[in-house]
Amino acid sequence: MRAARLIRMVLLLQSRPSMTGAELAGELEVSERTVTRDAQALSEAGVPVYADRGRAGGYRLVGGYRTGLTGLARDEAEALFLSGLPSALREMGLDDAASAARLKVSAALIPSLRDASHSAARRFHLDAPGWYHDPAVPELLPAVAEAVWDDRLVRARYRRRHSDEVERELAPYGLVLKAGVWYLCARAGDDVRVYRIDRFTAVTVSPTRFVRDEDFDLPRFWEERAAQFARSLLRTEVTVRLSGKGVRRLPHVVDRPAADDALAGAAEPDADGLRTVVLPVESEEVAYGQLLSLGPEVEVLAPAALRERFADTAERLRDLYR
């Protein structure tokens, strides 16, 4: 997009004494003729881009020109990087900071680019929660978010799965929004653990700051922990026989990594083109609901109780549609 390219051109010239047309063309991935037109457009809009002619010539900004982006406060700058997540900003209590940041950026742009934020908003929107859910915003999320942004310790009471509560001092490293549910990744003692925000019953933000481990990578940590969690749920195995269509559809109805691993380790199709697969599942009840959607493309072989349940369901369906 030209608007983004013009902004990048100004920032490139702002960061260096001068650049040749070839250097700018390479950085911006355009032709030198386009660089010439862009420089002229910036000059006409009031940005003092000066072109030196000749073999050693190039482009530079004159008069110590700087963009006005340095007026951003720290919280505004941080919120700006999340501006594609309006609902998340609102839930964390950062919508005012993001709004102020967008106004400052808009004011710093040349007139022809000031509608860029509205143009982007009309073309991209991220809706994080899953379908058929109306997620409630955890009441204590703003307090937790404040501690995360400011690297402050928190004293929290947390309701565990079996309804008992524990009290912990946590160093909150990062927040994750997954399918409409907020999670906190925090250090407790020597380990970094994951907590659901909606299970906190009390949070007190300490004035004491903690020293953040600079090697901690939130996206990588979450990816690894989410994979571990998914695997930990698969405590039961079922043996099934699948048609070719069933093989193709299986990864779409059960845990995909589990399906891929099971299919990779399965024997080749038999003479009828059917494959026998040993599949890890969460439970027989969950497997029943998942595999039922495959209809006649799957035959459950084991365990016996699940096979009997499918046989009973098939009889009832036959009677219903007879």
Side-chain angles (χ1 to χ4, degrees), residues 36-204:
T36 301
R37 289 198 296 265
D38 286 352
Q40 182 177 353
L42 288 170
S43 180
E44 292 173 353
V47 178
V49 178
Y50 182 76
D52 292 314
R53 305 298 179 185
R55 180 177 299 178
Y59 296 89
R60 58 189 173 90
L61 294 173
V62 298
Y65 178 84
R66 306 286 295 177
T67 64
L69 299 181
T70 53
L72 288 176
R74 180 177 179 84
D75 64 335
E76 295 169 348
E78 290 171 337
L80 188 60
F81 284 99
L82 293 172
S83 58
L85 304 168
S87 60
L89 283 168
R90 185 169 55 252
E91 292 173 8
M92 288 189 291
L94 295 173
D95 49 341
D96 288 342
S99 178
R102 285 192 293 268
L103 285 173
K104 289 184 178 182
V105 171
S106 297
L109 297 176
I110 60 177
S112 63
L113 304 183
R114 286 178 184 166
D115 67 341
S117 62
H118 300 293
S119 176
R122 287 197 296 267
R123 289 167 172 79
F124 176 77
H125 175 70
L126 177 62
D127 184 10
W131 290 104
Y132 315 119
H133 294 282
D134 186 15
V137 180
E139 182 180 348
L140 297 174
L141 176 60
V144 175
E146 176 190 349
V148 170
W149 285 117
D150 217 17
D151 290 345
R152 294 187 183 274
L153 294 170
V154 298
R155 174 67 63 176
R157 290 191 62 81
Y158 187 74
R159 185 181 68 254
R160 295 195 291 197
R161 184 175 300 176
H162 302 297
S163 299
D164 58 319
E165 288 191 358
V166 294
E167 187 167 325
R168 295 280 188 269
E169 183 177 70
L170 304 174
Y173 271 37
L175 290 167
V176 175
L177 177 60
K178 169 71 171 179
V181 179
W182 284 95
Y183 297 88
L184 173 69
C185 302
R187 183 173 294 281
D190 295 330
D191 299 322
V192 178
R193 303 177 182 179
V194 177
Y195 301 86
R196 280 184 60 139
I197 301 293
D198 57 6
R199 290 185 183 168
F200 283 118
T201 59
V203 171
T204 302

Side-chain angles (χ1 to χ4, degrees), residues 248-263 279:
R248 292 191 296 272
R249 290 180 54 193
L250 184 66
H252 300 286
V253 300
V254 300
D255 180 75
R256 179 178 287 273
D260 290 341
D261 290 345
L263 290 170
L279 180 69

Side-chain angles (χ1 to χ4, degrees), residues 230-269:
R231 287 194 297 269
S232 72
L233 294 177
L234 307 179
R235 304 185 182 94
T236 304
E237 289 185 343
V238 299
T239 304
V240 297
R241 186 181 290 127
L242 297 160
S243 68
K245 187 175 181 180
V247 167
R248 292 191 296 272
R249 290 180 54 193
L250 184 66
H252 300 286
V253 300
V254 300
D255 180 75
R256 179 178 287 273
D260 290 341
D261 290 345
L263 290 170
E268 292 299 314

Side-chain angles (χ1 to χ4, degrees), residues 217-235:
D217 185 322
L218 179 60
R220 184 175 61 189
F221 169 81
W222 179 260
E223 182 179 2
E224 293 173 354
R225 190 56 58 89
Q228 292 173 7
F229 176 73
R231 287 194 297 269
S232 72
L233 294 177
L234 307 179
R235 304 185 182 94

